[in-house]
Amino acid sequence: MNKILNNKISTRLVGSILCGAVVFLIASCDPDETQKVTNFNTIVLAEEFDEDGAPNPAIWTYDIGRGDNGWGNNELQYYTDRPENVIVEDGMLKITAIKEDFEGAGYTSARLLTQGLFEQKYGRFETRMKLPFGKGMWPAFWLLGANIDDVNWPFCGEIDVMENAGSKPTKVSGAVHGPGYSGGNPILKEYEFEETRVDTEFHIYGIEWGPQYINYYVDDALYFQITPESLEEEEVQEFNWVFDNGPFFMLINLAVGGNFDGNPNEDTVFPQTMYVDYVRVYAAE
Amino acid sequence: MKKIDFKYHIVFALIGLMYVVMTSCDREVSEDFELATFPNNPEIFTDNPVGLTDEFFESFDPATGANTEAFGVDVNESYAGTTSIRIDVPSITDPNGAYVGGIFRDRGEGRDLTGYDVLTFWAKGSITTSIDVVGFGTDFGLERYVVNLRDIELSTDWRKYYIPIPDPSKLVQERGLFAFSAGTQKTNGVGYTFWIDELRFEKLGTVAQPRPSILGGQDQTAQANIDTSVPLLGFAQKMSLPNGQDVTVEAAPAYFDFETSNPFVASVDEKGVVSIDGLGEVDPNTGLVDNTAKITASLGGIEAAGSLTVEAVNLAVISIFSDVFANVPVDNYNGFYLDGFQTTLGGRVEVDGNNIIDYTLLNFVAIEFYGRDGSGVQPVDATEMTHLHIDIRANEIVEASDFFRIELFNNFTLSNSESGSFNITGNDLQSNEWVQFDIPLSSFSGLNNRDALGAFIFVTDNTIANVSLDNIYFYAEQ
């Protein structure tokens, strides 16, 4: 089950494209030849987290435990499905990282996934979240190829819609992993907020994913596009593009410690909660 | 017998009444009424001082050792623009004063800083060291909203520094725009230079996660005599900077709101001074007298970590060393003797806002209060007292065979001197934990008179070399 290796370093591809709403961009801009866009306006999943209690079992399942080697990243938490760690209330999904001795781990938290329950090829995958803060917090919203059990990671492909290192409260990043660009060497770009932070306000994190491209946006800013040519730029053969092969499923988790942001320090506050207002998925018309 | 770090008192019933009266005659502000507002200029120094007094830099009192010659503007160094503030921290032997410090004040009636969340500046040093204090709110006036950030690390390249405003809504009219103090304690007395540039208040929107605290964030308990009062200490605000680092500033009590759980026992004023007002009332639920009150604080609506639970008592006390009771004058808390045998080091120290006594290399040491070297300190008449209270923490592993002996002297150094001793064994102490003792004075065998007590001598013969003491007082059991 060593399927998730999120170890990243920043290969900074700089230059963010600020624009109005993405839809507005599509309607009003004349995209240049390298920019690929599609309208994804048909909502196919609207998870608003309106029903108190455990998350809807028709959509969400869980990874439980510590994984191999801290889910491949030296993470410190034990994932559970206990209400202390994951619950829907106040119209939100709340994933809470707790500092406690549990099954040999020093922390508990939760990881939800839609594997086998909701999987889709292409579309707009969007969430609205407020994140925790402090060194060692590692919240993420991401996708994995549904063929992972057949072809293994990273051949299944991984699309990281949003990851945040708790020690960088004004920065998030988007990335892809695949054969030749995985683990500590993904194709990744950071987005930096001005005058706001990930832990003080809710922000929208999403991708628009279509044939031969993935666009990344935060709130109303499109900041990153990955295409097969992006692989070439990183000296990876274009045939290693694994994002047109089939459906992906979603994951939301709050990891503690590990390779992405290092381990918590004495200033890191526990418990802390990651708040998810909604998860929405759209398909092309 | 476990103990409590820190002790305090409280004052309250009248203020509770006043509060009720004041809230009941509170008026709505009419729409026609406009509150006076003050300029909100954020700039303090860019290439020139901005809107400051003609003096620009107003030094701390030279009588305290402040060097008034060490401040200037440098036209050859700047982070941005053409000039910067240059501060030449004097060497410890400088005849003009061994440290530099002072304030910048608004030249008008003050500024409205409610629209900002942080004071920022760029600084660099001629060497890598740390500046003792930077801050704002010090205005040589009411000093109401003082904020200090201690020990900022200087680099030899320009770096940006952030001093968060604990609660900007309080700063509607602030004159104290910047303050600093720098000496050479960390450079072995050697002088150095540092520069400050682009000093201004800013609204970043990315200084977040306020975590206020009082009393070092500890939940403390204390016994306190009625009609006494003691200031709370250790007011701080911790915030997360945009770079993810936490910074903790000392914040004046006026940034906090205080609350008492039991106004019949204790009250607390806006300066954080807790007063013990009474022995409490009967709790109708239990039928018992509740003589405790918990003092808590909040800042900007956020509960501060740390609290003080006081138990009101009515003890006759003669206090030698405590934060709770008014102490009698003493000669020293670290009476040392140049006899060639004594190894002890240490004395009074402040830890998290709590005064304690710390000794290291202890073989023996005295607390003297008899008028050593003609000091005028009067011996203590403890004839009416029945007990000695003392808190002891062995700051090391305690063995059963270790001991801590307390010798108490009447007419110390005089020909009619007499003394008694009380022995505490290692079994009665705990490693690195406070233990409190209430020792009948009759247990000091050999001490027949207590009309002129003048000294303690604590003896361990190095069996316990590192020890802390607190709350040393005589009292009469009621």
Side-chain angles (χ1 to χ4, degrees), chain B residues 75-124:
Chain B
V75 296
N76 297 315
E77 279 283 356
S78 68
Y79 170 74
T82 55
T83 70
S84 66
I85 294 165
R86 174 179 171 136
I87 293 151
D88 294 305
V89 182
S91 73
I92 197 157
T93 55
D94 192 316
N96 290 328
Y99 83 97
V100 53
I103 65 171
F104 300 173
R105 275 197 295 187
D106 181 62
R107 69 180 298 122
E109 292 179 77
R111 298 188 193 177
D112 178 356
L113 302 174
T114 57
Y116 308 108
D117 54 16
V118 62
L119 174 65
T120 65
F121 60 89
W122 291 79
K124 76 169 203 175

Side-chain angles (χ1 to χ4, degrees), chain B residues 197-336:
Chain B
D197 201 2
E198 303 302 306
L199 176 62
R200 60 169 62 89
F201 289 92
E202 288 192 74
K203 172 71 175 182
L204 294 178
T206 49
V207 179
Q209 304 293 354
R211 281 154 284 165
S213 61
I214 62 171
L215 300 169
Q218 300 172 30
D219 291 315
Q220 301 183 341
T221 61
Q223 267 192 350
N225 250 15
I226 57 170
D227 296 330
T228 59
S229 64
V230 160
L232 296 171
L233 298 173
F235 299 94
Q237 172 76 305
K238 182 192 277 193
M239 299 197 80
S240 170
L241 297 178
N243 61 13
Q245 289 181 346
D246 281 333
V247 62
T248 302
V249 296
E250 298 170 359
Y255 284 102
F256 290 79
D257 296 312
F258 300 100
E259 202 172 332
T260 177
S261 68
N262 190 345
F264 297 112
V265 171
S267 59
V268 54
D269 71 12
E270 62 168 22
K271 291 179 178 164
V273 177
V274 179
S275 302
I276 310 302
D277 302 322
L279 293 169
E281 303 254 307
V282 173
D283 181 332
N285 297 317
T286 62
L288 301 172
V289 172
D290 179 5
N291 68 333
T292 63
K294 186 175 184 180
I295 308 299
T296 54
S298 61
L299 195 166
I302 296 171
E303 180 92 357
S307 66
L308 175 66
T309 299
V310 286
E311 181 188 358
V313 293
N314 193 9
L315 295 177
V317 166
I318 299 172
S319 178
I320 304 297
F321 180 88
S322 84
D323 286 319
V324 182
F325 305 111
N327 297 322
V328 298
V330 301
D331 290 312
N332 54 56
Y333 294 111
N334 50 355
F336 297 147

Side-chain angles (χ1 to χ4, degrees), chain A residues 15-165:
Chain A
S16 71
I17 305 163
L18 293 172
C19 58
V22 175
V23 176
F24 176 76
L25 166 85
I26 294 160
S28 64
C29 297
D30 183 19
D32 64 35
E33 288 174 10
T34 61
Q35 193 172 26
K36 297 170 181 173
V37 289
T38 312
N39 274 341
F40 295 105
N41 291 334
T42 307
I43 192 149
V44 289
L45 176 72
E47 171 57 282
E48 304 294 331
F49 299 112
D50 285 337
E51 193 126 338
D52 284 2
N56 182 355
I59 300 173
W60 302 103
T61 180
Y62 306 89
D63 277 333
I64 303 291
R66 306 182 71 179
D68 289 338
N69 197 21
W71 301 99
N73 303 305
N74 300 308
E75 297 165 30
L76 303 177
Q77 78 290 334
Y78 189 103
Y79 283 135
T80 86
D81 59 359
R82 302 176 305 162
E84 300 96 296
N85 295 114
V86 53
I87 194 163
V88 174
E89 60 186 10
D90 306 323
M92 290 178 282
L93 170 68
K94 299 179 181 177
I95 300 177
T96 300
I98 301 169
K99 186 175 186 178
E100 59 179 333
D101 290 324
F102 191 88
E103 300 287 339
Y107 304 88
T108 57
S109 185
R111 175 147 106 188
L112 284 70
L113 56 165
T114 65
Q115 185 174 24
L117 297 169
F118 180 87
E119 298 174 346
Q120 178 172 307
K121 181 181 180 182
Y122 303 143
R124 175 148 64 103
F125 294 75
E126 181 181 288
T127 183
R128 183 171 181 268
M129 301 194 290
K130 188 165 87 167
L131 307 179
F133 80 107
K135 186 163 172 54
M137 289 290 168
W138 182 9
F141 174 53
W142 49 302
L143 281 65
L144 278 172
N147 60 348
I148 185 167
D149 292 338
D150 300 327
V151 302
N152 290 329
W153 188 91
F155 301 96
C156 60
E158 173 181 328
I159 302 171
D160 298 328
V161 182
M162 187 291 302
E163 291 183 280
N164 165 253

